[in-house]
């Protein structure tokens, strides 16, 4: 899959997109950054490819070093 993140200045939230290689849908999430923990937290919705129904999503991107990040979905 492929992910892109950015900051929406008009709405003042971080935005994340995810395009999975096994699905034709796009997951869009919004979130915030916690500078104390160095973590971006996102919540969104996706279409489950097996059922066709929407379901909630939650993910975290933790910045360990400038070159090392962990992603939990």
């Amino acid at each position: 899959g492929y992910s892109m993140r950015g900051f929406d200045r008009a709405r003042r939230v971080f935005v994340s997109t995810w395009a999975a290689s096994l699905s034709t849908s796009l997951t869009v999430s919004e979130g915030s950054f916690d500078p104390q923990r160095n973590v971006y937290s996102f919540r969104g919705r996706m279409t489950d490819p097996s059922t066709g129904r929407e379901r909630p999503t939650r993910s975290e991107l933790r910045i360990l070093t400038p070159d090392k990040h962990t992603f939990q979905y």
Side-chain angles (χ1 to χ4, degrees):
Y2 182 79
S3 181
M4 183 183 292
R5 290 172 209 83
F7 186 71
D8 184 327
R9 291 175 60 185
R11 296 181 319 156
R12 315 245 346 122
V13 296
F14 288 93
V15 178
S16 174
T17 61
W18 175 256
S21 56
L22 298 176
S23 174
T24 58
S25 66
L26 181 68
T27 301
V28 180
S29 304
E30 294 181 356
S32 59
F33 177 70
D34 180 348
Q36 297 287 338
R37 296 176 45 224
N38 234 16
V39 172
Y40 292 90
S41 300
F42 294 97
R43 291 188 181 270
R45 300 197 64 76
M46 69 165 286
T47 302
D48 185 323
S50 62
T51 65
R53 294 186 176 140
E54 275 199 352
R55 70 175 188 88
T57 63
R58 185 173 61 94
S59 62
E60 284 191 350
L61 176 67
R62 182 176 304 274
I63 311 301
L64 302 173
T65 69
D67 297 326
K68 186 174 182 182
H69 306 166
T70 61
F71 181 74
Q72 184 176 3
Y73 187 75

